[in-house]
Amino acid sequence: MTTETQSGTEQTTQVHGGRLVAQRLKAWGVTKLFTLSGGHLFSIYDGCREEGIDLVDVRHEQAAAFAAEGWAKATREPGVCALTAGPGVTNGMSAIASAQMNASPVLVLGGRAPAMRWGMGSLQEIDHVPFVAPLTKLAATAEPTAEIPAMVDRALQTALEPPTGPTFVDFPLDHVFMEGPPSGGAPELPDPSAAPPAEGVEQAIELLRNAERPVIMAGTGLYWARGEDALQRLCDEGDIPAFLNGLARGCVPADHRCFFSRARGNGLKGADVALVVGVPMDFRLGFGGSFGDDTQLIVLGSVKPERPHPRDVAVELYGGVAATLDALREGIAARDRTSWLSELRAAEDERRAAEQDELNDERAPLHPMRVYREINAVLDRDAIVIGDGGDFVSYAGRVINTYEPGCWMDPGPFGCLGSGPGQAIAAQVAHPDRQVCLLLGDGAFGFSGLEFDTMVRHGLPVVGVMGNNGIWALEKHPMEFLYGYSVAAELQPELRYDQVVEALGGHGELVRGPGELRPALERAFGSGKPALVNVLTDPSVAYPRKANLA
Ligand SMILES: Cc1ncc(C[n+]2csc(CCOP(=O)(O)OP(=O)(O)O)c2C)c(N)n1
Ligand SMILES: [Mg+2]
């Protein structure tokens, strides 16, 4: 409903608070809102309908919030979800924490019990801000109605500013149903690739120029900073090998001469200088111990991290990542380091050769590596692959090839099972013409498996491939190793998750032997429907991991 008020010569068209929200979303280029219904959100829905923002409604709020993160990962635009007051917001908390750890620019809109009765015990009344604040860059309540546009602007701006990350605004029911004047013009969208280079580049150039065995270790921050082209130029001209984790996967294509994965130990330990780009030295880098004791570190990021580095760093560079990478390249002058590259290539090839037996394993139920040999063969170069599970996804991280940025999504360091379906939904909404392949453990399926219904209702032909070993393998094997037995580690063997997906209106396949897998994958991708290829895998296969928890 709109009303016109005339005051003197000035005329203001008042619109309701939900419409104000939608107008600002639209101004920032938001086209999709991931949500699950709740009365507190009706006026936002109405606003989105008026403004042409599509709603994608899911089956659990965590999927809506993971989808918002998936949208951000797939597009590098802000992902937005709307969660109803109280349990809607609490259900989204794991995904908000996940977005925080991945620095994903996400805006979470919350419903909220009415301000006029606050404290009197309205339905679903709880103050979200204190418990969401530690997980976000900004958490606030928008009131009164006239404050809504500026608050939405600030939340989106904050989510997109480096370090990118999630923000939260909730809207008291009365204020979002009341009317206020539209405000706010076209926002200036931050362009991370235009940020100026960091100070202190000269010292880094000096180190890199003289290095004989330099390496680059890049992670999620490189992706958010849109640094992939500059990184490739630096690798190319400096003959510098690159190792990638997190969302940086694909920022150097898997078949690039400077890309290595299996030789990571040789590269990081053997390096005299390591350029560490957009990646914290957390457990994934052995808290800094993945590098050699004598490796000199240059750390590059968009902003100085809050957490101190766990080991000495020779040069710290904070500023525009792409511009700094270009400045380094210009400073170091081309250098022939083919012998260093060949040494690593030999190590890489040797490890890959040693994998062949597992990739070709003929056993039934299948070895997980055999599953990945078949998947690699059917995926397009720009397929988006999403991992959600334990050991099954650890294997994938090792052997799935990623060629373009934004084509690999896993839960990241928060490691939340159940993150996959929401991210797959968003990836397919963002890229309707590309393959989206969702890798699922049978345990992981239980958290968000009903999102196959969302995929069916929204016509999203995501292909799930399940490594169904009937156990929580990533927990069962380590527990047996430590205690000689395991508890709480079993699932039902050979459960027909494919039939669950069929019952929801999707396409299902059961695969018992390796020869059946390729045709089943082809039928699944050919079906044009959401699909699940339920592959029975060998529960006795334990992923060879060194560290689990610490
Ligand atoms: C929300 C959540 N709960 C529990 C865990 C602990 N956890 C990590 S991996 C894993 C096992 C996953 O089992 P499955 O998906 O079947 O994959 P598998 O290891 O069997 O290949 C569990 C329980 C977690 N990471 N996230
Ligand atoms: Mg399992």
Side-chain angles (χ1 to χ4, degrees):
M1 184 178 57
T2 61
T3 54
E4 308 249 321
T5 55
Q6 198 90 35
S7 67
T9 53
E10 202 178 293
Q11 178 183 312
T12 322
T13 304
Q14 302 256 342
V15 296
H16 66 67
R19 182 86 182 267
L20 293 174
V21 173
Q23 285 176 341
R24 294 322 296 155
L25 296 180
K26 189 176 176 185
W28 284 80
V30 175
T31 57
K32 313 285 172 198
L33 180 72
F34 300 96
T35 193
L36 193 155
S37 189
H40 295 84
L41 301 174
F42 286 173
S43 73
I44 294 179
Y45 294 167
D46 185 58
C48 286
R49 189 163 170 266
E50 292 294 325
E51 298 295 332
I53 294 172
D54 300 327
L55 302 185
V56 181
D57 57 322
V58 300
R59 298 298 301 267
H60 190 294
E61 284 85 0
Q62 83 159 352
F66 278 125
E69 193 189 9
W71 180 273
K73 288 179 175 182
T75 63
R76 290 189 268 200
E77 297 164 4
V80 186
C81 62
L83 313 179
T84 199
V89 174
T90 52
N91 275 351
M93 297 275 288
S94 293
I96 301 172
S98 176
Q100 183 188 45
M101 289 206 194
N102 295 324
S104 301
V106 163
L107 170 59
V108 179
L109 309 172
R112 188 179 171 96
M116 65 175 183
R117 296 227 176 80
W118 192 258
M120 296 171 71
S122 292
L123 177 72
Q124 293 165 232
E125 179 191 285
I126 191 168
D127 187 5
H128 311 119
V129 173
F131 57 80
V132 173
L135 304 178
T136 53
K137 292 178 68 187
L138 174 155
T141 298
E143 59 183 319
T145 312
E147 225 182 62
I148 287 175
M151 189 67 96
V152 173
D153 282 354
R154 189 151 75 86
L156 282 164
Q157 176 78 35
T158 306
L160 287 166
E161 261 164 22
T164 47
T167 57
F168 174 84
V169 182
D170 61 5
F171 302 90
L173 186 70
D174 38 1
H175 292 298
V176 85
F177 275 79
M178 284 190 279
E179 297 189 337
S183 67
E188 209 172 298
L189 296 175
D191 178 6
S193 44
E199 279 171 31
V201 179
E202 300 71 27
Q203 212 191 332
I205 288 173
E206 190 66 20
L207 272 179
L208 269 180
R209 190 193 291 136
N210 296 323
E212 283 173 11
R213 298 180 314 283
V215 295
I216 295 169
M217 178 70 230
T220 298
L222 173 88
Y223 178 70
W224 294 129
R226 295 181 185 267
E228 60 270 18
D229 293 341
L231 178 72
Q232 280 187 46
R233 286 191 289 268
L234 177 60
C235 290
D236 279 333
E237 287 185 31
D239 268 1
I240 307 180
F243 302 89
L244 309 172
N245 75 10
L247 281 165
R249 285 177 60 128
C251 286
V252 179
D255 51 1
H256 191 283
R257 74 185 178 92
C258 294
F259 172 83
F260 299 87
S261 58
R262 313 320 192 256
R264 198 180 95 148
N266 311 52
L268 302 193
K269 284 273 184 213
D272 50 2
V273 176
L275 175 61
V276 184
V277 189
V279 56
M281 280 185 264
D282 60 12
F283 68 97
R284 293 167 298 174
L285 288 176
F287 308 102
S290 297
F291 300 100
D293 291 341
D294 301 325
T295 308
Q296 300 211 66
L297 300 184
I298 303 166
V299 165
L300 167 60
S302 296
V303 290
K304 189 175 169 66
E306 279 177 20
R307 204 192 283 152
H309 299 301
R311 61 176 276 176
D312 283 348
V313 170
V315 187
E316 297 186 49
L317 302 172
Y318 302 117
V321 168
T324 307
L325 290 169
D326 277 332
L328 291 173
R329 175 179 50 81
E330 283 156 20
I332 60 173
R335 172 104 186 246
D336 176 12
R337 296 197 181 85
T338 37
S339 71
W340 171 228
L341 285 175
S342 326
E343 183 187 326
L344 292 178
R345 186 57 62 197
E348 179 89 10
D349 290 347
E350 195 184 311
R351 300 260 162 70
R352 284 178 187 261
E355 284 165 6
Q356 287 306 311
D357 285 352
E358 287 181 342
L359 288 167
N360 298 325
D361 197 301
E362 285 291 330
R363 83 181 71 181
L366 282 80
H367 193 293
M369 289 281 275
R370 178 61 191 262
V371 181
Y372 289 118
R373 177 187 128 182
E374 305 297 336
I375 292 178
N376 263 332
V378 299
L379 289 182
D380 297 336
R381 213 175 155 82
D382 66 353
I384 301 174
V385 180
I386 294 135
D388 187 0
D391 283 356
F392 187 58
V393 173
S394 305
Y395 277 110
R398 249 171 67 182
V399 295
I400 288 282
N401 300 320
T402 310
Y403 299 99
E404 293 179 16
C407 286
W408 169 264
M409 298 181 196
D410 60 24
F414 194 55
C416 188
L417 291 175
S419 61
Q423 298 194 67
I425 285 165
Q428 192 77 79
V429 172
H431 299 291
D433 301 327
R434 281 161 64 177
Q435 288 176 328
V436 175
C437 181
L438 171 60
L439 307 172
L440 282 165
D442 52 330
F445 182 94
F447 294 82
S448 309
L450 216 64
E451 297 305 333
F452 276 91
D453 164 69
T454 303
M455 299 171 199
V456 170
R457 284 182 296 106
H458 289 275
L460 304 170
V462 171
V463 172
V465 182
M466 175 182 284
N468 184 353
N469 51 13
I471 56 172
W472 303 94
L474 184 142
E475 307 298 352
K476 183 178 166 75
H477 293 297
M479 188 165 180
E480 284 181 351
F481 178 75
L482 286 171
Y483 289 86
Y485 70 90
S486 64
V487 291
E490 308 294 327
L491 296 160
Q492 288 187 56
E494 303 196 7
L495 201 63
R496 297 298 302 273
Y497 298 97
D498 51 305
Q499 291 180 345
V500 176
V501 168
E502 272 181 355
L504 295 172
H507 175 90
E509 296 273 351
L510 177 71
V511 170
R512 292 181 178 278
E516 300 162 31
L517 180 51
R518 185 87 59 100
L521 288 170
E522 280 162 5
R523 283 192 297 273
F525 278 108
S527 73
K529 290 186 191 176
L532 183 68
V533 181
N534 180 4
V535 187
L536 302 184
T537 53
D538 183 352
S540 74
V541 175
Y543 186 79
R545 70 182 69 247
K546 289 185 208 123
N548 196 21
L549 301 173

